[in-house]
C-alpha cells in the first residue's frame, strides 16, 4: 500500500509571503493616507463652520429684538451687551370720546395704564420700559432704571406696575409705545470660549464679563485675539445701527497644523424707541 506524504509551506515561502504582503500594505497606505487625512480635515472644517455659524446666528437673532438704544460694546471689543425684549405694545395716552379709559400719566406716579390693541405676554420678573433713548447716563436709560418699572399684575387691558427707582417715567413716547423686557444679556469671548451671560443685575456702566446670573458656552476653541464686536450707529438720526461680529475658531488638523475657520456677520439693530 503506497503512502502519500502531504506538503506544506516552508518557512522561507511564509517569510516571502509576509514580506510581499507588507510591501503591498505599505504601498496602499501611501496612496490612501492623503485622501483619509483630507476627509478628516474636511469633516473638522465642516464641524467648526457649523459651530461658528450657529453661534453667529444666535447672536444676530437676539440682537434684532434688543431694546432700542440698549446695545453697547466694551472698550476691548470682546463683549456685547443688550437688554432682551419679550414683547411690547401701545399705552393709552388719552381717554376715549366718553371719557373712559385708563391713561398713563407722566405728571404723577401713575402705576396703571390700559393697553391699546393686543396685550403682550407678561410674566413674573418682566419689566416695562418707556422711551429708552440712551445706554449711558441717568436719563431715559433702562440700565440706570429711570424709565423702567416692574410688572405687577394684569387685568386686561390694564397693566399694573411698581416703581423701581422713581415714577413717573421721565419722557412720554411720541408713538405711545412701551417695551416688555426680561433683563440684560451679554455675549463675550473669554478663555478660549464664546459665552452667553444672562440673569444678572442691571449695571449703569457695562461690566465685562458681568458678575452673577447664569452662563452657557456657545463655542469652544475660540481665538479670543480674533474675536471682535463693533457697534456702528447708522443714519436716519441714529434710529438704525449695526453690530459687526468677527469670530474665529481654531483646531489642530490631522497633519499637526492649525485649522482655522473665520466668519463675519452683521446684525441690524432698530433703535426707534
Amino acid at each position: 500500500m503506497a503512502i502519500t506524504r502531504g506538503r506544506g509551506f516552508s518557512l522561507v515561502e511564509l517569510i516571502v509571503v509576509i514580506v510581499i504582503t507588507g510591501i503591498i500594505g505599505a504601498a496602499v497606505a501611501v496612496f490612501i493616507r492623503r485622501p483619509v487625512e483630507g476627509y478628516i480635515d474636511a469633516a473638522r472644517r465642516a464641524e467648526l463652520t457649523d459651530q461658528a455659524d450657529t453661534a453667529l446666528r444666535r447672536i444676530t437673532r437676539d440682537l434684532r429684538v434688543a431694546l432700542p438704544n440698549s446695545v453697547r460694546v466694551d472698550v476691548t471689543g470682546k463683549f456685547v451687551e443688550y437688554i432682551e425684549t419679550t414683547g411690547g405694545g401701545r399705552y393709552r395716552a388719552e381717554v376715549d370720546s366718553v371719557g373712559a379709559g385708563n391713561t398713563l400719566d407722566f405728571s404723577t406716579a401713575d402705576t396703571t395704564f390700559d393697553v391699546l390693541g393686543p396685550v403682550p405676554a407678561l410674566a413674573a420678573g418682566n419689566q416695562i420700559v418707556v422711551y429708552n433713548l440712551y445706554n449711558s447716563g441717568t436719563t431715559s436709560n433702562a440700565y440706570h432704571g429711570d424709565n423702567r418699572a416692574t410688572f405687577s399684575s394684569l387685568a386686561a387691558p390694564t397693566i399694573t406696575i411698581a416703581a423701581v427707582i422713581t415714577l413717573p417715567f421721565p419722557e412720554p413716547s411720541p408713538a405711545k409705545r412701551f417695551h416688555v423686557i426680561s433683563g440684560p444679556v451679554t455675549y463675550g469671548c473669554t478663555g478660549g470660549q464664546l459665552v452667553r451671560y444672562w440673569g444678572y443685575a442691571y449695571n449703569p456702566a457695562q461690566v465685562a464679563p458681568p458678575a452673577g446670573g447664569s452662563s452657557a458656552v456657545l463655542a469652544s476653541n475660540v481665538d479670543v485675539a480674533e474675536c471682535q464686536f463693533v457697534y456702528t450707529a447708522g443714519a436716519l438720526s441714529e434710529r438704525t445701527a449695526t453690530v459687526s461680529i468677527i469670530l474665529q475658531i481654531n483646531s489642530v488638523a490631522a497633519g499637526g497644523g492649525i485649522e482655522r475657520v473665520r466668519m463675519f456677520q452683521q446684525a441690524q439693530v432698530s433703535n426707534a424707541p
Side-chain angles (χ1 to χ4, degrees), residues 2-3 5 13 57 131 136 142 150 154 159-160 162 172 195 197 199 202 204 210 214 229 233 240 246 255 259 267 270:
I3 298 176
R5 295 179 179 277
E13 290 173 328
R57 287 177 181 271
Y131 206 43
S136 62
T150 301
L154 170 66
I159 292 178
T160 300
V195 183
Y197 305 87
Y202 291 89
S214 303
F229 298 98
T240 60
I246 299 174
E259 195 79 53
S270 172

Side-chain angles (χ1 to χ4, degrees), residues 151-263:
F151 163 70
S152 178
S153 63
L154 170 66
T158 301
I159 292 178
T160 300
I161 55 177
V164 173
I165 291 182
T166 183
L167 283 177
F169 294 108
E171 298 182 61
S173 165
K176 312 300 185 288
R177 296 174 60 190
F178 68 90
H179 290 87
V180 181
I181 61 173
S182 58
V185 175
T186 293
Y187 284 97
C189 294
T190 179
Q193 298 175 324
L194 174 63
V195 183
R196 185 179 191 267
Y197 305 87
W198 73 96
Y200 57 90
Y202 291 89
N203 295 296
Q206 186 175 7
V207 177
S214 303
S215 64
V217 176
L218 271 69
S220 301
N221 300 316
V222 173
D223 190 335
V224 176
E226 298 298 326
C227 175
Q228 195 74 27
F229 298 98
V230 178
Y231 178 82
T232 306
L236 300 177
S237 300
E238 299 185 352
R239 287 298 183 255
T240 60
T242 57
V243 177
S244 302
I245 310 164
I246 299 174
L247 179 63
Q248 180 171 306
I249 299 179
N250 301 338
S251 181
V252 179
I258 300 298
E259 195 79 53
R260 296 180 176 89
V261 171
R262 183 182 176 90
M263 301 190 73

Side-chain angles (χ1 to χ4, degrees), residues 12 51 63-64 66 80 87 91 95 98 113 125 130-131 163 166 173 212 239 244 255 258:
V12 174
Q51 186 180 23
L63 288 174
R64 285 174 177 166
V80 60
Y91 60 83
V95 296
V98 296
F113 64 89
V130 176
Y131 206 43
T166 183
S173 165
R239 287 298 183 255
S244 302
I258 300 298

Side-chain angles (χ1 to χ4, degrees), residues 6-170:
R7 296 189 62 190
F9 293 103
S10 68
L11 180 60
V12 174
E13 290 173 328
L14 184 60
I15 292 174
V16 171
V17 171
I18 293 174
V19 171
I20 293 175
T21 303
I23 293 172
I24 294 174
V28 171
V30 169
F31 285 106
I32 69 172
R33 176 185 174 184
R34 292 300 181 187
V36 170
E37 287 182 352
Y39 170 78
I40 294 174
D41 289 343
R44 182 182 294 104
R45 283 193 295 270
E47 182 180 354
L48 295 178
T49 301
D50 182 65
Q51 186 180 23
D53 182 64
T54 300
L56 291 180
R57 287 177 181 271
R58 173 66 184 274
I59 297 173
T60 300
R61 183 187 66 190
D62 283 357
L63 288 174
R64 285 174 177 166
V65 295
L67 178 70
N69 301 302
S70 71
V71 178
R72 56 187 183 181
V73 175
D74 79 313
V75 294
T76 68
K78 307 302 180 186
F79 294 85
V80 60
E81 184 177 29
Y82 67 95
I83 296 177
E84 186 175 55
T85 64
T86 62
R90 298 185 183 274
Y91 60 83
R92 178 178 288 279
E94 297 181 2
V95 296
D96 61 19
S97 58
V98 296
N102 189 340
T103 63
L104 181 57
D105 190 345
F106 287 81
S107 64
T108 186
D110 192 0
T111 58
T112 62
F113 64 89
D114 286 350
V115 179
L116 298 179
V119 178
L122 292 156
N126 286 165
Q127 295 186 318
I128 304 297
V129 173
V130 176
Y131 206 43
N132 192 62
L133 293 178
Y134 309 103
N135 59 27
S136 62
T138 59
T139 303
S140 299
N141 175 12
Y143 285 111
H144 177 69
D146 67 322
N147 61 346
R148 169 169 52 89
T150 301
F151 163 70
S152 178
S153 63
L154 170 66
T158 301
I159 292 178
T160 300
I161 55 177
V164 173
I165 291 182
T166 183
L167 283 177
F169 294 108

